[in-house]
Amino acid sequence: MVTGGVASRGTLLSLGATPRMIDRARSLHILQSVRRGIYASAQADLDQRRAIRLGGKVACLSALRRNRVWAGIDTRLHVCVRRSAHHLHVQEAASVGLPATSRRSDTNFVADPGAPRVHWQRSEHREFDESSYQRDWLMPPLTSLRQAVLCQNEEQAIASIDSALRTRFVAQGQVDRLFTQLPARLQHIRAEIDPTADSGNETIVRVRLRRAGFIVETQIPVPGTSQFDLLIDGVVTLDVDSRQWHGDEAQISWDFDKTLCSFGAGLPSLRILPRHIYQSWPQTLAVIRRTVADAKELREFRRMGSR
Ligand SMILES: [Zn+2]
């Protein structure tokens, strides 16, 4: 289904279906009426059905996540409804969701059960051209990104913009437009965008370290191995490991080699996991400070000795 599993009656008719064909598809359970005049095929996932049942469209973080764009740590369903919408079926949408026992991955992005985060559409943005077949259930890219920036804290907002650029979810020109639509209090984050970041977590660490006063360079080549995510004050390499699972022996072996290559190049190396960012950042930052300070002191000491 070119419409992505959900379509309005109007869209189906514009694609050449006849009322008779729609009736027949419904009677054969190929199409199911999710809400008056809107139909879903078997291809439609839970996020799409919940958004439509509630009376809105998949938006904000949920729209980003299904396009493999970084959408932070809020896994609720984000839905956008028209300003004029009423009788929202919130309870109905809240009662279903991906069971907590299911593991999320890049291909399993469906939101948690519970009350969705509802966004009210400010004005009718005609960003999708009228021929877009997904317009019945999905908010367009730039609108979704703007919602996601406003819906998250600054560091997660920057991570979403980095990721949206890197994955080509939006183009640079659209990010220029985005900032014309953002309030004055958020204009300063523009200088912190860097789409070379490999992951949202890498962006978060980069932003936090720069804000803490470190000079942070990104995607640093070291002889004999792959690039390091970050180089701090020119003396310590840091990789942000976003993998949830560590079952990949080849990857672990490669990471050991990487650490050796960095030390071999005279650069002490650190490797951190998401929990070091979100659960124990003060301790993590203290370790980074100490390691960087020691490395700078050693460099200075050698410089003096060589005079
Ligand atoms: Zn949102």
Side-chain angles (χ1 to χ4, degrees):
M1 204 164 168
V2 290
T3 59
V6 173
S8 68
R9 188 173 181 85
T11 298
L12 291 176
L13 294 174
S14 76
L15 283 168
T18 62
R20 203 183 140 85
M21 285 160 72
I22 295 173
D23 285 346
R24 184 158 168 74
R26 286 184 66 186
S27 68
L28 292 171
H29 302 292
I30 294 167
L31 285 182
Q32 183 193 6
S33 172
V34 193
R35 197 179 167 88
R36 194 181 164 86
I38 301 191
Y39 305 104
S41 73
Q43 191 193 335
D45 61 50
L46 207 47
D47 280 3
Q48 292 173 295
R49 290 170 191 271
R50 287 173 78 193
I52 295 295
R53 282 300 297 159
L54 188 139
K57 298 179 185 181
V58 175
C60 190
L61 302 180
S62 298
L64 263 52
R65 201 165 274 136
R66 69 187 301 120
N67 281 288
R68 311 281 195 276
V69 175
W70 178 263
I73 46 182
D74 178 350
T75 48
R76 289 176 298 173
L77 179 66
H78 289 238
V79 175
C80 186
V81 300
R82 280 198 306 274
R83 188 187 268 287
S84 58
H86 53 278
H87 302 311
L88 296 183
H89 297 255
V90 173
Q91 283 314 317
E92 223 175 290
S95 62
V96 286
L98 190 70
T101 48
S102 328
R103 285 202 137 165
R104 286 185 169 69
S105 69
D106 276 357
T107 48
N108 185 7
F109 44 75
V110 176
D112 287 343
R117 169 78 168 83
V118 178
H119 292 268
W120 298 84
Q121 196 171 356
R122 294 186 302 184
S123 56
E124 199 61 36
H125 285 282
R126 292 257 168 241
E127 192 195 328
F128 265 145
D129 66 62
E130 286 303 301
S131 62
S132 168
Y133 298 128
Q134 299 188 331
R135 64 175 183 264
D136 294 326
W137 61 272
L138 181 66
M139 293 304 287
L142 187 54
T143 306
S144 298
L145 184 59
R146 189 188 66 238
Q147 290 170 333
V149 168
L150 294 169
C151 205
Q152 300 182 96
N153 64 26
E154 284 186 13
E155 59 184 25
Q156 294 290 359
I158 296 165
S160 287
I161 299 172
D162 278 2
S163 173
L165 278 167
R166 187 172 57 89
T167 58
R168 301 179 196 278
F169 181 64
V170 295
Q172 182 58 52
Q174 288 173 291
V175 171
D176 296 341
R177 261 177 65 203
L178 168 70
F179 276 92
T180 67
Q181 299 169 3
L182 290 177
R185 67 176 170 85
L186 286 174
Q187 293 300 320
H188 68 278
I189 68 172
R190 190 171 192 166
E192 296 180 84
I193 294 167
D194 180 349
T196 63
D198 268 338
S199 74
N201 288 328
E202 181 187 322
T203 296
I204 308 290
V205 174
R206 184 193 76 223
V207 167
R208 286 186 186 180
L209 290 178
R210 282 185 180 156
R211 288 181 173 188
F214 293 101
I215 295 166
V216 182
E217 296 163 71
T218 58
Q219 310 307 321
I220 300 303
V222 167
T225 189
S226 50
Q227 293 182 334
F228 279 85
D229 292 339
L230 307 174
L231 177 66
I232 310 165
D233 280 1
V235 291
V236 171
T237 55
L238 177 82
D239 262 351
V240 182
D241 203 325
S242 288
R243 284 171 301 143
Q244 302 258 359
W245 306 284
H246 281 261
D248 186 346
E249 288 295 328
Q251 184 63 47
I252 293 169
S253 176
W254 178 261
D255 291 344
F256 272 99
D257 286 349
K258 237 186 135 176
T259 302
L260 288 179
C261 285
S262 189
F263 274 90
L267 298 167
S269 191
L270 296 171
R271 170 172 298 279
I272 62 173
L273 292 165
R275 65 187 164 86
H276 300 121
I277 304 170
Y278 297 110
Q279 291 166 33
S280 56
W281 179 249
Q283 292 88 328
T284 305
L285 181 60
V287 170
I288 294 171
R289 268 193 210 289
R290 170 74 192 263
T291 311
V292 170
D294 284 354
K296 284 164 85 171
E297 202 176 315
L298 180 61
R299 188 177 60 180
E300 208 47 44
F301 183 71
R302 283 185 180 146
R303 226 177 248 161
M304 284 163 61
S306 64
R307 272 180 201 157

